[in-house]
Amino acid sequence: MASAGTLAELIDELGGVSPRRILLRPAPGTATEQDLLARAKQKAGVCELVDVVLVEKAMGFRESLLALALTELLRAFVKQHNLGLIAGAAGLLRLTPGLVRGPDVSFVSWSKIPDGRVPQAPIPDLAVEILSESNTSGEMLRKRRDYFTAGTRAVWQFDLNARTAEVFTSPADSIVVGESQILDGGDVLPGFSLPLAKLFAELDQRAQ
């Protein structure tokens, strides 16, 4: 639970997010998973539950376009090799009580689903975050810490402006893959290979 006593302290704990993204109903520090699910049912926008505070997820059309394209590619590979499940931003993941994240794309291997049934809110092996204009470096560091602490094995962070993918194996350890290079699945998705130029070409589509 957030220990902040002022709005400034709360924003700092959340990684410097814009106060416009912090919901006041229910009051910060009192929000529950039920509140989060209620907003989802009302289609009131995608939120995350961070330290029992509802925070709107930063999203945009270009980010959504890229996330959908990546989801399709990952889902095809995962289904072909029967590796597990792929979900999008609406696939909320309960990392700990009071902490629910919604990465733009997530992969959950069958090894994390012992009974083989689709879970309610699993811990992902891979979390994908596509940076939006309102995301701060502090927010993304906090997100990566949350994922890895919960047991996530890798985080991919895409920068649409730089056209790069940063592959994290811990909150701070990463390698940057450029647009002219190939992103591979490493130990999390062995055999997966994606030329980033193919993915970022989604942003260059034109009418024929």
Side-chain angles (χ1 to χ4, degrees):
M1 180 174 180
S3 58
T6 67
L7 177 59
E9 290 174 344
L10 175 60
I11 291 172
D12 186 59
E13 288 188 5
L14 296 175
V17 302
S18 167
R20 292 191 177 96
R21 291 173 51 202
I22 300 173
L23 273 64
L24 300 181
R25 295 192 183 93
T30 69
T32 66
E33 292 183 20
Q34 288 69 34
D35 295 320
L36 184 64
L37 294 175
R39 283 189 59 85
K41 289 180 180 178
Q42 295 166 4
K43 298 182 179 179
V46 179
C47 284
E48 296 178 310
L49 181 64
V50 188
D51 293 338
V52 289
V53 177
L54 288 182
V55 181
E56 287 183 337
K57 183 172 170 62
M59 300 180 74
F61 184 82
R62 295 170 74 243
E63 294 87 345
S64 179
L65 181 69
L66 202 73
L68 180 59
L70 181 60
T71 299
E72 292 172 348
L73 292 167
L74 286 172
R75 188 170 185 270
F77 178 83
V78 167
K79 284 185 69 68
Q80 178 185 356
H81 299 282
N82 192 28
L83 299 177
L85 302 170
I86 295 289
L92 298 174
L93 308 171
R94 183 190 300 109
L95 303 183
T96 61
L99 179 60
V100 180
R101 291 292 190 184
D104 295 300
V105 188
S106 60
F107 162 64
V108 183
S109 66
W110 289 128
S111 64
K112 288 196 173 180
I113 312 173
D115 60 3
R117 295 185 177 184
V118 176
Q120 289 292 336
I123 304 297
D125 292 83
L126 169 68
V128 178
E129 294 284 350
I130 299 176
L131 296 178
S132 297
E133 292 297 329
S134 65
N135 286 133
T136 67
S137 58
E139 176 188 11
M140 301 315 296
L141 176 58
R142 166 70 197 265
K143 283 193 175 194
R144 295 193 300 271
R145 286 174 176 164
D146 290 343
Y147 288 133
F148 283 110
T149 298
T152 296
R153 298 167 58 196
V155 173
W156 293 353
Q157 186 170 291
F158 286 83
D159 186 327
L160 273 61
N161 294 325
R163 297 205 171 196
T164 60
E166 194 165 3
V167 179
F168 289 88
T169 53
S170 78
D173 295 320
S174 68
I175 60 169
V176 176
V177 182
E179 184 178 12
S180 63
Q181 297 176 296
I182 293 176
L183 173 67
D184 68 65
D187 295 334
V188 178
L189 286 169
F192 178 78
S193 179
L194 172 62
L196 281 190
K198 175 182 178 181
L199 179 64
F200 285 117
E202 294 287 328
L203 303 176
D204 301 322
Q205 298 180 68
R206 297 290 187 273
Q208 299 297 317

